[in-house]
Amino acid sequence: MKNLILVLTLFLVSFCSYAQCTGKVRIFEMADPVDGSAWPLITKEYVPSYQGAPVILILPPIVGETQLDRQLALRFCNSGMAAYILHTMRPNSRQREVEDFTIHDEAFLRAHGAVRNVIYELESRVQFLPRYGIIGMSLGGLFAAYVAGAEPKILASVVIAGSGNPAGVLAHSDQRLVVNLRQRRMRELSIPTIRTYEAQLRSVLTIDPLNVVGRIEPNSMYMFIPNSDTTVPVRYQRELRRAVREPLVYVMRGSHRVGLVKATRLHGGKITSFFAKRLL
């Protein structure tokens, strides 16, 4: 009978936690850190039913929130850690997207501003521990690396197929949206070669994760690197690895997309344990 009661109790605790981990939409009202305009930051919230949860902030890839992001958020929540998927990208006009390279710096500023604002808001809620982690894959990995280095309240970070060197990534990535933007710019701005395009990006862009990741505490970043990645070219992922002090690194066989799936579905337990060890 005692064993039956214990099993039922564990089941109910697990069920209650799962019932809370539903990914409901929550909007944080904030000012855009770039232009000061009102910005209703859309997030998806996965919160355990009990108090004392640390918080993990998830930055999606260039295509927006994916099933992989939601799977990680649910896993974190069911392991006693709150998770928020943050939608930090804001649209630009087609003309500005082509002509103004500073939109890439702005994207980093918005990612950091969104994280800071969410942390500020959550610190007023006693149900959370004031301990924060961040994870991102692909473009979200670039943002996560930057925020981890720029925001002192981030205690642990996971970067999946991410890097620094945004100029290099923009010039050499084979991601469809990046390729289309590169081709439009080269055509409409009469840029003769990819080498010239990369040089022009470097002359304009001022924000690079490589400039701040040296501040990250040793052993507090976990990197997953697909060894055949051409979307975030693997040489730039290795460049980030060299810039971080003593990261934990897992190198996977496969392309960019295969790497994202492997990291989430095969190694989600490793990622969850990494955060739990540093945040709980």
Side-chain angles (χ1 to χ4, degrees):
M1 178 62 71
K2 289 182 178 179
N3 288 339
L4 178 59
I5 292 173
L6 178 60
V7 169
L8 289 173
T9 300
L10 291 174
F11 172 78
L12 288 172
V13 169
S14 176
F15 176 80
C16 291
S17 175
Y18 184 85
Q20 292 293 315
C21 299
T22 53
K24 65 181 179 181
V25 173
R26 178 175 176 187
I27 295 176
F28 292 80
E29 298 293 343
M30 62 176 287
D32 189 315
V34 174
D35 60 20
S37 64
W39 182 15
L41 175 69
I42 298 173
T43 73
K44 195 164 284 185
E45 178 181 68
Y46 296 74
V47 179
S49 58
Y50 44 86
Q51 293 191 355
V55 178
I56 300 174
L57 305 165
I58 301 173
L59 302 181
I62 192 171
V63 296
E65 177 188 321
T66 69
Q67 180 63 27
L68 298 179
D69 299 304
R70 294 188 288 273
Q71 287 175 356
L72 284 172
L74 184 60
R75 181 187 284 269
F76 298 150
C77 187
N78 286 325
S79 298
M81 297 176 285
Y84 286 81
I85 301 174
L86 277 55
H87 295 266
T88 68
M89 300 293 287
R90 300 196 78 181
N92 293 288
S93 69
R94 186 186 185 285
Q95 180 178 1
R96 185 162 186 254
E97 189 176 56
V98 169
E99 297 178 354
D100 190 353
F101 293 177
T102 66
I103 63 171
H104 304 296
D105 278 352
E106 292 174 1
F108 282 100
L109 292 175
R110 288 193 174 104
H112 187 195
V115 166
R116 268 194 321 234
N117 184 80
V118 170
I119 289 175
Y120 175 80
E121 293 288 335
L122 295 184
E123 284 182 335
S124 65
R125 297 175 62 178
V126 296
Q127 75 184 101
F128 297 120
L129 282 176
R131 299 179 64 80
Y132 304 95
I134 194 166
I135 181 171
M137 59 182 71
S138 195
L139 177 62
L142 274 78
F143 292 160
Y146 175 72
V147 175
E151 178 50 58
K153 292 191 175 183
I154 297 296
L155 302 180
S157 55
V158 174
V159 172
I160 302 172
S163 73
N165 204 334
V169 174
L170 288 165
H172 299 285
S173 172
D174 64 4
Q175 203 283 333
R176 177 179 55 82
L177 296 174
V178 177
V179 170
N180 290 344
L181 177 60
R182 181 169 65 233
Q183 291 176 342
R184 281 163 43 206
R185 284 174 166 173
M186 292 180 69
R187 181 175 62 252
E188 296 181 28
L189 301 179
S190 300
I191 300 174
T193 66
I194 289 178
R195 179 176 293 183
T196 304
Y197 177 55
E198 183 177 359
Q200 290 187 13
L201 286 165
R202 293 192 186 283
S203 71
V204 173
L205 301 185
T206 62
I207 295 180
D208 187 333
L210 296 176
N211 296 333
V212 297
V213 293
R215 306 173 191 170
I216 297 171
E217 289 296 317
N219 300 305
S220 69
M221 177 179 281
Y222 199 172
M223 297 183 65
F224 288 80
I225 300 176
N227 65 359
S228 300
D229 199 336
T230 55
T231 299
V232 177
V234 68
R235 62 185 179 276
Y236 300 129
Q237 298 185 46
R238 292 172 177 151
E239 187 178 28
L240 178 67
R241 174 182 181 172
R242 293 192 295 270
V244 177
R245 292 183 295 164
E246 300 178 40
L248 304 176
V249 180
Y250 193 95
V251 178
M252 304 169 289
R253 292 183 179 179
S255 64
H256 184 77
R257 183 173 296 181
V258 168
L260 302 187
V261 174
K262 278 186 174 181
T264 304
R265 296 183 177 168
L266 298 184
H267 306 297
K270 295 185 180 73
I271 294 170
T272 303
S273 296
F274 169 79
F275 278 129
K277 182 178 179 180
R278 284 155 182 81
L279 300 179
L280 286 172

